Amino acid sequence: MPRNIGIIDQVIRAFLGLAVIAYTGKDGILTADSSLALLAGIYLFATAIFSYCPFYSALGFTTFGRLDRSV
């Protein structure tokens, strides 16, 4: 699995993933809607940890790479 998530994307995914996980667990009751949100939060956090997104790979998209600062 080559990295395809850059550092800024990784930080945003980790923050949003943890926020969604915390929000779904605030009531202590897991419903069908909150379980889907929990899965989305886990997905965001896991992709941030592994720096790999299967959707990015399927689309041929990447946010990981060197910045070209030559102007």
Side-chain angles (χ1 to χ4, degrees):
M1 282 188 313
R3 284 183 69 169
N4 63 359
I5 294 179
I7 190 70
I8 295 171
D9 193 5
Q10 189 175 11
V11 169
I12 291 170
R13 285 172 180 264
F15 179 75
L16 287 177
L18 287 176
V20 169
I21 291 169
Y23 183 75
T24 57
K26 71 177 174 65
D27 293 333
I29 300 170
L30 193 63
T31 62
D33 294 336
S34 64
S35 63
L36 288 175
L38 180 65
L39 287 175
I42 291 170
Y43 175 79
L44 285 172
F45 190 70
T47 56
I49 294 295
F50 294 115
S51 298
Y52 177 76
C53 178
F55 291 128
Y56 278 7
S57 183
L59 295 174
F61 185 73
T62 183
T63 59
F64 179 74
R66 302 187 81 161
L67 294 176
D68 185 16
R69 297 187 183 220
S70 60
V71 176

